[in-house]
Amino acid sequence: MKNVILYALIFSLLFNVFQYINSTKILEAKDKEVVKVKDRLKISRDSVFTLANANYFALESDQDAQEYFYSNGLDYQKTAIKVKEDLITLNENKNGNKLVPYEPINGKPFLINTSKVLNHRWIIAEFSNGDFWGQILVKYFVSEGKTTEFETVETVLYEKQTKE
């Protein structure tokens, strides 16, 4: 009987040591996994924050600007499309887009390439003539059934960098 109790005690001791070592390894592995998940979560949150801030100045995320359109009986999405189309239509002038306050250089007129409606009053756009480019801040006024009115607020012009 003494041997049975001794064997049971030794077995119990070995079982407890095994359980302790195994549990410690499992716990360490889970801790490493938690750290990895936390790192990924931080990266994801930073990415979401960056994206949210990148789109901060956009009609799609500006509730006040949307409310302005709704209060005037306009759909902000359709209005944004119309405003962009009216802006690009100004490129049809042979001397370039009239909102860009620069004369054609080397016979190349300045045309607006792309634009973003920031809110119910402003647009930022990129323009170029192939050698020079820049950005333009435009104030706009839109009314139902009328062509959009534009007013240049500010521009910046860059020269194409050449490699030697």
Side-chain angles (χ1 to χ4, degrees):
M1 184 72 170
K2 285 184 175 178
N3 285 342
V4 172
I5 293 174
L6 182 62
Y7 288 134
L9 185 61
I10 291 173
F11 178 74
S12 161
L13 181 66
L14 289 174
F15 183 75
N16 285 334
V17 169
F18 172 77
Q19 284 293 88
Y20 174 76
I21 292 172
N22 190 38
S23 297
T24 304
K25 286 182 181 180
I26 290 172
L27 187 60
E28 287 173 358
K30 290 296 180 184
D31 283 344
K32 287 180 183 178
E33 190 176 326
V34 167
V35 168
K36 284 182 184 178
V37 169
K38 283 183 178 180
D39 289 343
R40 287 185 197 148
L41 181 60
K42 183 183 180 325
I43 291 168
S44 297
R45 283 183 179 157
D46 290 346
S47 297
V48 167
F49 181 75
T50 301
L51 288 173
N53 283 341
N55 204 28
Y56 181 79
F57 291 105
L59 183 58
E60 297 79 17
S61 60
D62 189 337
Q63 295 294 322
D64 295 323
Q66 292 173 18
E67 182 59 36
Y68 172 85
F69 286 117
Y70 287 133
S71 67
N72 288 300
L74 299 168
D75 180 307
Y76 78 91
Q77 292 170 326
K78 290 178 182 176
T79 303
I81 292 169
K82 179 188 180 306
V83 167
K84 284 183 167 190
E85 288 173 352
D86 290 348
L87 185 67
I88 295 299
T89 300
L90 297 176
N91 284 344
E92 295 173 1
N93 185 337
K94 68 177 182 166
N95 291 326
N97 194 304
K98 71 177 185 176
L99 296 173
V100 181
Y102 304 107
E103 293 294 321
I105 298 176
N106 299 327
K108 298 177 182 178
F110 287 97
L111 304 175
I112 291 181
N113 301 318
T114 187
S115 63
K116 180 175 184 173
V117 178
L118 300 176
N119 58 24
H120 66 289
R121 194 57 65 220
W122 298 327
I123 300 169
I124 191 164
E126 187 266 338
F127 64 88
S128 71
N129 76 345
D131 294 326
F132 296 85
W133 73 94
Q135 289 105 22
I136 184 170
L137 183 62
V138 177
K139 187 185 253 188
Y140 74 96
F141 305 93
V142 65
S143 300
E144 185 68 38
K146 294 184 180 178
T147 303
T148 308
E149 297 176 36
F150 296 102
E151 177 184 321
T152 301
V153 176
E154 189 67 49
T155 63
V156 63
L157 182 65
Y158 304 102
E159 183 176 357
K160 184 177 182 180
Q161 299 292 322
T162 55
K163 295 182 181 179
E164 294 182 24

